[in-house]
């Protein structure tokens, strides 16, 4: 941790529309799964939980994008989320959204901000 920020990964670990990086955060006194992805050059991070049912999104560890690399997809229900906002645009949770986490990218790293 540096200045209230925790390292998630190296910037180079996140490729546009590619695999994400899983990590954990504390919520309500317990550790929960989270992830970071890169989309159109920007890094985004969310709690790894579908807005429809509390299941993790990735179908294999780190696999969050659909086949085209345009949407985050829930492996269980097929819900599609916009990577830049977490908004569900298709599936059983349409109109809901993923819980975002504050991240910054600097000095070759991706950091979770407090």
């Amino acid at each position: 941790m540096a200045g209230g920020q925790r390292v998630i990964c190296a910037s180079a670990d996140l490729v546009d529309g590619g695999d994400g990086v899983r990590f954990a955060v504390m919520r309500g006194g317990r550790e929960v799964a989270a992830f970071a992805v890169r989309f159109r050059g920007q890094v985004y991070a969310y709690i790894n939980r579908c807005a429809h049912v509390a299941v993790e999104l990735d179908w294999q560890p780190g696999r969050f994008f659909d086949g085209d690399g345009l949407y985050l997809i829930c492996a269980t229900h097929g819900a599609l989320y916009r990577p830049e906002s977490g908004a569900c645009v298709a599936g059983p949770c349409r109109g809901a959204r993923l819980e975002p986490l504050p991240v910054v990218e600097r000095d070759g790293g991706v950091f979770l901000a407090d």
Side-chain angles (χ1 to χ4, degrees):
M1 265 222 233
Q5 298 179 341
R6 186 180 97 194
V7 176
I8 296 172
C9 64
S11 292
D13 292 343
L14 295 175
V15 177
D16 231 57
D19 287 356
V21 171
R22 293 174 55 99
F23 60 99
V25 296
M26 295 300 289
R27 285 286 186 271
R30 56 182 256 258
E31 195 173 84
V32 297
F35 68 95
V37 293
R38 183 180 302 280
F39 182 70
R40 296 185 178 158
Q42 285 289 122
V43 176
Y44 300 94
Y46 297 98
I47 296 293
N48 191 0
R49 184 175 54 236
C50 180
H52 174 232
V53 175
V55 296
E56 293 185 5
L57 296 177
D58 43 343
W59 53 277
Q60 287 185 344
R63 301 283 174 103
F64 295 98
F65 278 100
D66 66 355
D68 296 324
L70 298 176
Y71 294 97
L72 303 174
I73 186 168
C74 175
T76 303
H77 306 103
L80 296 176
Y81 298 90
R82 292 190 187 281
E84 68 274 22
S85 68
C88 182
V89 295
C93 59
R94 189 178 184 105
R97 63 183 54 244
L98 300 174
E99 183 181 340
L101 294 169
V103 291
V104 293
E105 185 173 20
R106 63 175 165 70
D107 303 325
V110 176
F111 299 84
L112 178 65
D114 280 346

